[in-house]
Amino acid sequence: MTKTSGPLYGDAFSNELEIFHRHITEGTKPLTDLADSRRDLALMAEIIERMKENSQR
């Protein structure tokens, strides 16, 4: 069985919240696992630090 969703239009936070709710209520798994999520957060933190460094120049 194949399930396709998207594109999602509207507020990104609302879209994420709706998908999170679906995972909880339907027992589905996110496409991104916890390890990937942690790497994404580390990457975003690094990007923010670089932006701060560049804005001080």
Side-chain angles (χ1 to χ4, degrees), residues 6-56:
L8 301 174
Y9 300 102
D11 177 24
F13 179 78
S14 296
N15 291 337
E16 290 293 328
L17 189 58
E18 181 181 330
I19 292 168
F20 176 73
H21 179 265
R22 196 174 315 138
H23 290 312
I24 299 299
T25 58
E26 296 177 12
T28 59
K29 287 187 176 185
L31 297 176
T32 304
D33 64 14
L34 187 56
D36 283 340
S37 298
R38 287 182 174 152
R39 284 191 289 274
D40 289 345
L41 290 173
L43 176 61
M44 288 304 302
E46 185 177 341
I47 290 169
I48 291 168
E49 286 303 313
R50 297 287 172 94
M51 290 174 68
K52 286 180 184 177
E53 291 171 5
N54 288 334
S55 69
Q56 295 173 357

